Amino acid sequence: MEHHGVPDPALAVVAPSPPAGPPTATGPGPGGRTIALWHAARPGERLCWAIGAVLVLSGLAHLLVFAVDGGPWDGPVSWRKPVTFGLSFGLTLITVTWVTSYLRVGARWRTVLLAVFAADCVVEVAGITLQAWRRVPSHLNTETPFDSLVAMTLAVGGGILVVVLSVFAAAAFRHRPGGPPGMALALRSGFAILIVALLSGAAMIARGVVLSRTGHQQAAYHATAPLKPLHGVSLHAVLVLPALAWLLSRTSWSDVTKRRIMCAAVGGYTAAVLAAGFRAALAW
């Protein structure tokens, strides 16, 4: 199915804007295309992009807080967590809103999934940020009833993230995604690697819970460290690879050349994930 075509109404592709649309009145440059994309988007997509931008700004603001307030960067209580989670969740929400426009997913179903995903991103970042300001750990913290509530909310939210992103991943493999040459490979590879990130995140939480419930609270906070590089590397493949496919679509190179570059990029990213996984296995 072509990204610009008219799909089967039962499997409508909800596309906020063609990836290579004509110049608008604001000019043919990136700024003009961005404005065109925004105006062509559905209200739900605009809301998700706006929420994602707010989360990114929250992460950057806490980087400034860290620069002023100081303190450790690592550890269960640090400004690192609101910084990295704000940036990561914000970028992921913006990315997922964009890349799912290439999937053959019903319009209403996609809107519902994106709404749930956006709300969950806000809850996750809010809970982590709240605990950072309270100077207590966010995950695996059961010291008080309130801390337990926050930790449980974050855990449930993580489960919801897994379900929503798995549904989108399944859609990417059930029907060939649309888009320019190489986009289908980028999306399928990106979502497949994203599943690795979700599984590694679930493994971190599961190990931490086991240690916490067996009386090893401090060990629980530090036991997740070996898997963090794997989790971080694999989390953003769904952004990097489709972005490369889109950038290649702006060039005059042949489709064969674009596909070869995408294959090389997927191979390189997969090698990086495998290296991070091997390192995690050695330290686990």
Side-chain angles (χ1 to χ4, degrees):
M1 184 197 66
E2 295 295 327
H3 187 52
H4 296 285
V6 179
D8 185 337
L11 292 170
V13 174
V14 186
S17 175
T24 65
T26 56
R33 288 192 294 270
T34 301
I35 294 175
L37 178 69
W38 177 264
H39 286 299
R42 293 168 177 262
E45 292 168 334
R46 294 183 190 176
L47 180 60
C48 287
W49 287 332
I51 292 173
V54 170
L55 295 180
V56 169
L57 290 175
S58 173
L60 293 175
H62 283 89
L63 184 60
L64 179 61
V65 171
F66 170 72
V68 174
D69 186 61
W73 179 253
D74 294 319
V77 181
S78 72
W79 293 117
R80 169 187 55 83
K81 299 192 75 171
V83 171
T84 56
F85 277 77
L87 293 174
S88 183
F89 272 92
L91 288 174
T92 301
L93 176 56
I94 293 170
T95 299
V96 169
T97 303
W98 169 54
V99 300
T100 55
S101 68
Y102 294 103
L103 303 181
R104 297 187 68 180
V105 180
R108 288 185 179 179
W109 183 228
R110 174 174 174 257
T111 298
V112 170
L113 289 173
L114 287 178
V116 172
F117 186 63
D120 203 11
C121 287
V122 172
V123 170
E124 291 287 309
V125 174
I128 289 162
T129 302
L130 171 66
Q131 296 298 72
W133 281 96
R134 294 182 66 233
R135 308 288 180 147
V136 296
S138 52
H139 295 86
L140 309 174
N141 182 5
T142 57
E143 294 297 323
T144 69
F146 182 79
D147 292 330
S148 298
L149 176 62
V150 173
M152 180 60 67
T153 300
L154 295 177
V156 172
I160 294 174
L161 292 177
V162 171
V163 172
V164 172
L165 293 175
S166 296
V167 170
F168 282 135
F173 285 93
R174 185 179 299 113
H175 302 285
R176 181 179 177 83
M183 183 60 80
L185 174 62
L187 287 171
R188 286 176 169 176
S189 301
F191 273 112
I193 296 174
L194 178 63
I195 296 300
V196 175
L198 299 178
L199 292 176
S200 60
M204 286 191 288
I205 295 298
R207 187 179 188 189
V209 169
V210 170
L211 290 172
S212 176
R213 290 184 176 179
T214 54
H216 302 88
Q217 190 65 44
Q218 290 304 314
Y221 292 143
H222 299 287
T224 60
L227 284 175
K228 286 181 179 178
L230 173 62
H231 183 68
V233 170
S234 54
L235 185 63
H236 295 294
V238 75
L239 164 61
V240 174
L241 296 176
L244 176 59
W246 183 85
L247 289 173
L248 289 173
S249 74
R250 315 303 299 174
T251 70
S252 59
W253 297 337
S254 67
D255 289 352
V256 173
T257 299
K258 294 174 183 177
R259 289 191 177 94
R260 286 177 178 173
I261 294 175
M262 277 308 311
C263 286
V266 170
Y269 210 109
T270 301
V273 172
L274 290 175
F278 181 72
R279 179 178 180 273
L282 291 178
W284 188 258

